[in-house]
């Protein structure tokens, strides 16, 4: 099954579908429009409409809603969920806001192995990203051919640098890094003399050259693969608190 947060018309969604072409039945389900930055939000106080369109099913809701609709509304139990290919990186603390990652996590919550895939830059490199993804999924050992590579109770978060295939230096297993964004809030004036704001920001300078960190790996031209788990418990702190009691 293919899902995303950029909406049903996103080129990355079509690219994912193409990767799976000829590999079995593929179900496409996506938000009707752009839902990036929605994280794991679900729609509780509005109806959710499901429509069948040319590209696949659309949902008037969030990425997490899409997975819920597919599993509980349409009765699908796919072997694998691919979420993406997101238009933009999901590195470091981005994963806390990411609808792409949340859709994959929702898949795992429903007992389905799930992978989030993001292209860290210009969409012109989608063909290179799909080629990489095909290798990661179907080569020996790939995530599809070797299901034991998939984490239990977690997702695989893949970030692909926006580079031509031949310039990608390899694949690294990484942990989440931290990068501060600059100019997060853009204050603007409307034609009636009021003001409004746009959230955004540009990524700040990386202060590390540690290739074990996802942000650094992608920055240096490597594909980054980070396993993420559902259980957010901070076990070391739990131990510390218990000892203080
Ligand atoms: Mn997105």
């Amino acid at each position: 099954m293919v899902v995303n947060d950029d909406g049903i018309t996103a080129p990355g969604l079509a690219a994912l579908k193409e990767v799976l072409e000829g590999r079995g039945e593929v179900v496409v389900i996506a938000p009707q429009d752009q839902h990036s930055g929605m994280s794991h939000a679900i729609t509780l106080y509005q109806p959710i409409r499901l429509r069948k369109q040319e590209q696949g099913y659309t949902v008037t809701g969030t990425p997490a809603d899409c997975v819920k609709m597919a599993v509980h509304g349409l009765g699908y139990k796919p072997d694998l969920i691919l979420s993406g290919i997101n238009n933009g990186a999901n590195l470091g603390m981005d994963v806390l806001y990411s609808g792409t990652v949340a859709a994959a996590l929702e898949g795992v919550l429903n007992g389905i192995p799930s992978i989030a895939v993001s292209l860290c830059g210009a969409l012109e490199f989608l063909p290179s990203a799909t080629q990489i993804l095909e290798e990661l999924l179907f080569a020996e050992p790939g995530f599809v051919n070797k299901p034991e590579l998939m984490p239990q109770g977690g997702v695989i978060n893949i970030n692909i640098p926006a580079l031509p295939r031949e310039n990608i230096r390899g694949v690294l297993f990484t942990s989440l890094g931290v990068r501060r964004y600059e100019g997060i809030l853009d204050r603007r004036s409307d034609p009636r003399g009021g003001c409004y704001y746009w959230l955004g920001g540009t990524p700040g300078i990386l202060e590390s050259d540690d290739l074990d960190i996802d942000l650094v790996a992608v920055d240096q031209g490597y594909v980054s693969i980070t396993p993420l788990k559902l259980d957010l418990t901070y076990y070391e702190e739990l131990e510390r608190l218990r000892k203080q009691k």
Side-chain angles (χ1 to χ4, degrees), residues 4-10 12 31 33-36 63 84-88 100:
N4 78 351
D5 73 356
D6 294 331
I8 190 76
T9 58
D33 40 40
Q34 180 55 258
H35 274 76
S36 293
I85 296 174
N86 188 57
N87 182 6
T100 305

Side-chain angles (χ1 to χ4, degrees), residues 4-6 19 39 50 58 69 93 123 126 134 138 162 180 182-183 196 213 218 235:
N4 78 351
D5 73 356
D6 294 331
V19 169
S39 188
L50 178 75
T58 62
M69 289 302 293
M93 297 305 115
L123 280 178
L126 255 188
E134 212 165 327
F138 301 109
R180 297 195 196 295
E182 285 153 13
Y196 64 99
I213 295 172
V218 167
Y235 285 99

